[in-house]
Amino acid sequence: MPRAVRERQMMDAAVQTFGQRGYRAASMDEIAELAGVSKPLVYLYLNSKEELFTACIRREAGALVAAVRAGVEPGAPADRQLWDGLRAFFTHAAEHPDGWAVLHHQARTHGEPFAAEVARMRAEIVSFVTYLIGAAAREADCDSELAEREVGGLAHALVGAAESLAGWGNETPGVTAKETAATLMNFAWAGLENLMNGRRWAPPSPRG
């Protein structure tokens, strides 16, 4: 069997085991058995449990980012691009629940270097969402009114909400990726559209 195919089998088994059992509880014996190989072969290909887990994070992170980017049609209206990006995000998380668990739960709770790997993925998605919001502002001719810092803050807020909702959607029976994406789109776009049209919320004036 070609090395690439064998490695993919081991990685698939590792993502499933880490996602369902957790990093600390997962054993190399379990991973080897699920992959249908010997434990020494897993060590030969991927050196250690830590390196195997890191490789899983990188693979799943790359796949998620690629899915989001591929889901967006360049040149489409701003709301359509955001909708397509959100739908691609939630669809990928729903179709790869073990990979999502590795990224969102396991990697973040075991410190460095795992958390840093996820932070890099998140930064790339935030950068892409920042671009989408900036494109929406330009489309509405209000890019000069939205400061770069504000656009960045909105992107971070949207990505954080998407991460939280993906976990909720995966854990709630009967909820589809499309429904989860629509929930966030209805929440986010109403506010963004008001912003683009110059309708800003302001805190009430203090009573004199």
Side-chain angles (χ1 to χ4, degrees), residues 15 60-61 63-65 67-68 85-105 121 125 161-171 175-178 180-181:
V15 167
E60 297 307 306
L64 176 59
V65 171
V68 172
L86 289 175
R87 189 169 180 183
F89 179 92
F90 289 118
T91 297
H92 186 86
E95 291 178 350
H96 302 86
D98 294 330
W100 177 250
V102 165
L103 292 175
H104 192 61
H105 300 296
M121 173 208 71
I125 292 179
E163 290 171 340
S164 180
L165 270 176
W168 171 81
N170 280 2
E171 294 165 6
V175 175
T176 67
K178 183 177 180 181
T180 309

Side-chain angles (χ1 to χ4, degrees), residues 106-124:
Q106 297 304 319
R108 292 182 171 187
T109 57
H110 293 291
E112 298 294 347
F114 309 133
E117 294 288 343
V118 176
R120 278 190 280 273
M121 173 208 71
R122 193 176 195 276
E124 190 170 349

Side-chain angles (χ1 to χ4, degrees), residues 39-175:
K39 185 166 72 170
L41 188 61
V42 177
Y43 279 109
L44 177 65
Y45 275 55
L46 296 154
N47 299 321
S48 67
K49 183 179 176 181
E50 180 176 314
E51 288 189 35
L52 176 57
F53 190 51
T54 300
C56 289
I57 295 168
R58 288 175 180 167
R59 189 186 79 163
E60 297 307 306
L64 176 59
V65 171
V68 172
R69 288 189 176 277
V72 175
E73 180 185 348
D79 61 334
R80 179 57 187 265
Q81 289 195 56
L82 185 58
W83 162 248
D84 287 343
L86 289 175
R87 189 169 180 183
F89 179 92
F90 289 118
T91 297
H92 186 86
E95 291 178 350
H96 302 86
D98 294 330
W100 177 250
V102 165
L103 292 175
H104 192 61
H105 300 296
Q106 297 304 319
R108 292 182 171 187
T109 57
H110 293 291
E112 298 294 347
F114 309 133
E117 294 288 343
V118 176
R120 278 190 280 273
M121 173 208 71
R122 193 176 195 276
E124 190 170 349
I125 292 179
V126 167
S127 176
F128 185 55
V129 174
T130 299
Y131 161 77
L132 293 180
I133 295 175
R138 289 189 294 275
E139 188 177 289
D141 294 322
C142 72
D143 55 315
S144 60
E145 299 171 21
L146 282 176
E148 183 178 340
R149 184 174 63 181
E150 187 172 14
V151 171
L154 289 168
H156 274 277
L158 190 59
V159 171
E163 290 171 340
S164 180
L165 270 176
W168 171 81
N170 280 2
E171 294 165 6
T172 304
V175 175

Side-chain angles (χ1 to χ4, degrees), residues 177-193:
K178 183 177 180 181
E179 289 171 335
T180 309
T183 295
L184 184 54
M185 189 69 185
N186 280 314
F187 175 76
W189 187 253
L192 284 171
E193 192 172 32

